[in-house]
């Protein structure tokens, strides 16, 4: 099956933010065209694209595009483990701060007797999280499960 594409919307070009979001969604679709997708996933993606193409251009279009893009990427990640660049790094950055950084900060603050030093663990946890995430991103790239684009919008 072939993925449906976005319809052209020249009226959004003056709105730079909306235009960039729309272009990025189109890039996601063209990257997915290069991947081996199951018929079920192609149907899900085509339904989302058709629904988006049917919407009128208005202020809420950017929000709808982001929601549909996120929904598609979640399905891809859950079912096929296909992710965009830096996906795991971005997730593990926050996880590292909470899972590793806070306990390290609490342990350090308790051992010194000054809980004001709790924040020292956060950058350590952030660094650990970035290392774990970057390693997972490299593994996804080696296995061919990574899209050649970074989600910015």
């Amino acid at each position: 099956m072939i993925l449906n594409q976005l319809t052209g919307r020249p009226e959004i070009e003056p709105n730079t933010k909306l235009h960039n979001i729309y272009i990025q969604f189109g890039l996601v679709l063209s990257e997915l065209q290069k991947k081996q997708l199951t018929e079920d996933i192609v149907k899900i993606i085509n339904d989302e694209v058709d629904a988006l193409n049917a919407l009128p251009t208005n202020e809420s279009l950017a929000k709808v595009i982001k929601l549909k893009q996120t929904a598609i990427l979640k399905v891809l990640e859950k079912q096929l483990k296909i992710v965009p660049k830096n996906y795991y790094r971005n997730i593990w950055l926050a996880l590292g701060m909470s899972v590793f950084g806070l306990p390290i900060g609490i342990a350090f603050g308790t051992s010194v007797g000054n809980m004001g030093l709790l924040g020292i663990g956060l950058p350590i946890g952030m660094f650990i999280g970035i290392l774990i995430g970057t390693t997972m991103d490299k593994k996804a790239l080696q296995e061919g499960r990574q899209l050649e684009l970074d989600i910015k919008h």
Side-chain angles (χ1 to χ4, degrees):
M1 290 181 79
I2 297 175
L3 289 176
N4 295 348
Q5 295 298 312
L6 293 172
T7 57
R9 294 189 187 225
E11 68 274 10
I12 67 169
E13 288 184 24
N15 185 344
T16 308
K17 183 179 177 183
L18 176 58
H19 182 68
N20 288 340
I21 293 169
Y22 199 75
I23 294 295
Q24 177 178 277
F25 189 68
L27 290 173
V28 168
L29 293 176
S30 61
E31 279 295 316
L32 292 177
Q33 203 72 298
K34 301 173 188 174
K35 298 289 183 183
Q36 291 290 86
L37 304 175
T38 64
E39 285 188 29
D40 293 340
I41 293 188
V42 170
K43 183 179 179 344
I44 291 169
I45 293 170
N46 284 342
D47 290 345
E48 296 287 354
V49 171
D50 291 342
L52 185 63
N53 285 337
L55 289 175
T57 302
N58 56 27
E59 301 83 36
S60 65
L61 184 62
K63 183 177 179 182
V64 174
I65 293 170
K66 286 181 184 180
L67 289 173
K68 296 206 176 290
Q69 178 176 286
T70 302
I72 289 170
L73 291 174
K74 280 184 182 179
V75 167
L76 288 169
E77 198 276 327
K78 284 184 179 182
Q79 294 188 13
L80 300 177
K81 305 293 185 214
I82 295 175
V83 295
K85 281 185 181 177
N86 300 322
Y87 175 81
Y88 293 114
R89 185 199 67 190
N90 294 339
I91 288 176
W92 274 94
L93 183 133
L95 280 175
M97 289 173 64
S98 59
V99 172
F100 301 111
L102 284 176
I104 291 170
I106 289 171
F108 186 73
T110 304
S111 66
V112 175
N114 182 359
M115 287 310 285
L117 298 174
L118 172 84
I120 288 180
L122 293 177
I124 296 169
M126 184 174 70
F127 178 72
I128 293 170
I130 288 173
L131 281 176
I132 292 170
T134 302
T135 303
M136 291 176 75
D137 280 329
K138 285 181 183 175
K139 182 179 177 188
L141 178 64
Q142 290 170 350
E143 294 174 357
R145 297 183 293 111
Q146 193 175 65
L147 299 176
E148 288 299 316
L149 66 111
D150 193 4
I151 303 298
K152 296 178 184 172
H153 305 286

